[in-house]
């Protein structure tokens, strides 16, 4: 602690002053004795320099001369002794100018542990935070543009169809009532697609913000998924599917908002039905792994190509765009699932092989 106190800039400046004063006094003392020796060795004043020295001493005095010489010497020694500190101060000044010019990736070299070193560290940390904030702002702007582009693209297609068929009807461009009903049915189906997209978009916007309030309570994840799977039976039967659920014994409690967790797993179940109906089975497993509660949803449909796995949870991403539109996919379901998972401080991953596709969620476990 004492070492750190004496390593401060104020103590160093005091040391610089004392050292400069000491060196100045030493030089003046050497000069004084050298002059005295010179005068003693030349009492006859035969050497012109001795005559000049005696005249200066007699007319000006020793003390004023020592002051006149001492002040520049003191300044010179101070500059010499503090050159490293001044160099670091110049480096900090240059770094601040570089950062202020927009180069936020520049780091000021830190070679000290005093206030100047702390200042350099703080400036570097400030630059890093500014750069991070700037990158986040750019990413947010890019995400906003992508969101608008994605929404515009996904809304345009069904809306164009609705307007087209309504125009046929409005202009009586149909031959009979059967054709009229056909046009109305297509417009209705496309309207449902629009509604689904808008609902999903609203849900994604709602859960993707960190400000979403959560009603956190202890939730038994095993019981929640068991109840949800039973409620999902009509949807599974419509797709000619069934489910199997495997719940391990022991505590499966997590801290969560039950309604949001239901939305999370509804999206995973819906995804399994949409793309895994060929496998006929939805497998659900819930178990404890160390200090985490893990839940998996497995279907046995066509595999997801490995290059698509890293992009599955991006909004509006579709492995097969044409098939997704046919089956009503908006490309937001898995993005919503990921946002809800992260709001609960959990993680979600996906893996796929020829045999199965598995989505795994993991949340911190809590004690009963």
């Amino acid at each position: 602690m004492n070492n750190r106190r004496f390593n401060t800039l104020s103590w160093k400046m005091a040391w610089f002053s004392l050292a400069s004063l000491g060196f100045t006094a030493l030089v003046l003392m050497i000069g004084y004795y050298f002059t005295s020796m010179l005068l003693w060795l030349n009492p006859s004043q035969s050497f012109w320099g001795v005559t000049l020295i005696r005249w200066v001493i007699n007319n000006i005095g020793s003390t004023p001369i020592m002051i006149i010489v001492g002040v520049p010497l003191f300044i010179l020694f101070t500059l010499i002794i503090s050159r490293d500190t001044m160099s670091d101060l110049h480096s900090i000044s240059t770094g601040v100018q570089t950062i202020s010019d927009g180069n936020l990736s520049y780091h000021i070299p830190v070679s000290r542990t005093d206030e100047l070193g702390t200042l350099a560290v703080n400036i570097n940390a400030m630059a890093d935070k500014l750069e991070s904030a700037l990158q986040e702002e750019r990413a947010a702007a890019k995400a906003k543009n992508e969101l608008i582009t994605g929404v515009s693209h996904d809304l345009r297609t069904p809306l164009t169809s609705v307007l087209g068929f309504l125009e046929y009807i409005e202009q009586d461009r149909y031959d009979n009532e059967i054709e009229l009903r056909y046009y109305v049915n297509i417009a209705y189906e496309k309207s449902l697609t629009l509604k689904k997209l808008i609902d999903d978009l609203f849900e994604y916007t709602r859960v993707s913000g960190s400000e979403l309030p959560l009603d956190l309570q202890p939730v038994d994840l095993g019981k929640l998924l068991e109840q949800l799977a039973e409620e999902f039976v009509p949807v599974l039967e419509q797709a000619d599917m069934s489910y199997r659920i495997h719940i391990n014994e022991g505590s499966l409690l997590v801290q969560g908002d039950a309604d949001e967790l239901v939305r999370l797993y509804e999206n995973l179940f819906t995804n399994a039905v949409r793309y895994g109906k060929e496998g006929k089975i939805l497998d659900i497993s819930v178990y404890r792994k160390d200090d985490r509660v893990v839940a998996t949803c497995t279907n046995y449909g066509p595999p997801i190509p490995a290059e698509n796995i890293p992009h599955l949870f991006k909004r509006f991403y579709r492995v097969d765009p044409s098939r997704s539109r046919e089956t009503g996919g908006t490309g937001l379901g898995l993005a919503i699932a990921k946002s809800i998972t992260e709001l609960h401080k959990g993680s979600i991953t996906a893996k796929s092989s020829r045999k199965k596709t598995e989505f795994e969620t993991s949340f911190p476990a809590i004690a009963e």
Side-chain angles (χ1 to χ4, degrees), residues 38 43 90 95 119 134 138 195 243 248 285 304 351:
L38 190 63
H90 176 72
L119 178 62
L134 187 60
R138 289 171 178 168
K195 181 180 182 301
Y243 78 90
N248 284 16
S285 298
I304 300 173
K351 55 185 178 181

Side-chain angles (χ1 to χ4, degrees), residues 58 172 259-260 332 347:
N58 293 330
D172 296 328
D259 291 337
E260 299 300 333
L332 286 170
S347 62

Side-chain angles (χ1 to χ4, degrees), residues 9 12 82-95 108-114 116-117 119-120:
L9 189 60
K12 287 184 177 180
S82 63
R83 63 183 181 278
D84 289 342
T85 298
M86 299 307 295
S87 175
D88 289 339
L89 190 59
H90 176 72
S91 176
I92 291 173
S93 176
T94 302
I108 299 171
V110 180
S111 58
R112 311 169 65 92
T113 57
D114 57 14
L116 289 181
L119 178 62

Side-chain angles (χ1 to χ4, degrees), residues 12-28 69-83:
K12 287 184 177 180
M13 294 305 295
W15 152 249
F16 294 157
S17 299
L18 289 173
S20 299
L21 189 62
F23 282 120
T24 301
L26 179 62
V27 171
L28 291 175
V69 174
V71 170
L73 281 175
F74 179 80
I75 295 173
L76 175 64
F77 283 127
T78 300
L79 292 175
I80 293 173
I81 294 172
S82 63
R83 63 183 181 278

Side-chain angles (χ1 to χ4, degrees), residues 54 94 146 178 184 231 235 242 267 271 281 295 311-312 326 337 365:
R54 287 187 184 277
T94 302
E146 290 178 349
I178 295 176
V184 170
E231 294 173 357
V235 178
S242 60
N267 284 337
N271 187 78
I281 296 291
H311 308 289
L312 285 178
E326 288 176 7

